[in-house]
């Protein structure tokens, strides 16, 4: 029903918003001290962030501010214990993405 209601143009617009907002978020986090994008591969709306900070503390700090900042990857990929997965959808505003980046930096 959702896809039918969206139609081809609506679906393309949502996809474009997801792509643009995810890349904006990736650029924001990559500009922060102690953070970088882990893989150089192209991505759509999910990407992996590497940090020199403690991942658990970073995510807990953001959560205390009401921000679910990402999923720690060490549980499933021990070699990525210093990384977390981020997903950005069309529903996130620029202000929300900026608040997310500030929460990461302040952790």
């Amino acid at each position: 029903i959702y896809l039918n209601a969206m139609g081809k143009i609506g679906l393309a617009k949502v996809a474009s918003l997801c792509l643009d907002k995810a890349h904006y978020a990736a650029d924001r986090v990559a500009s922060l001290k102690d953070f970088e994008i882990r893989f150089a591969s192209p991505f759509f709306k999910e990407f992996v962030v590497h940090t020199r900070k403690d991942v658990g503390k970073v995510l807990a700090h953001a959560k205390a501010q009401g921000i679910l900042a990402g999923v720690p990857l060490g549980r499933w990929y021990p070699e990525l214990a210093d990384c977390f997965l981020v997903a950005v959808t069309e529903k996130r505003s620029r202000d929300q993405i900026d608040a997310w980046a500030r929460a990461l930096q302040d952790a």
Side-chain angles (χ1 to χ4, degrees), residues 30-43:
S31 73
L32 302 176
K33 182 180 182 220
D34 297 323
F35 292 89
E36 62 189 12
I37 303 306
R38 176 65 169 83
F39 301 104
S41 310
F43 64 91

Side-chain angles (χ1 to χ4, degrees), residues 79-100:
E79 69 277 14
L80 297 177
D82 55 358
C83 297
F84 56 97
L85 179 68
V86 176
V88 182
T89 69
E90 77 282 1
K91 293 185 177 190
R92 297 294 149 233
S93 69
R94 182 178 290 258
D95 288 342
Q96 289 174 317
I97 294 168
D98 289 341
W100 166 79

Side-chain angles (χ1 to χ4, degrees), residues 5 15 17 31 38 41 47 55 63 65 73 77 81 88 97 100-101:
L17 287 170
S31 73
R38 176 65 169 83
S41 310
F47 56 93
V55 170
K63 187 175 182 181
Q65 296 181 41
L73 293 175
Y77 304 97
V88 182
I97 294 168
W100 166 79

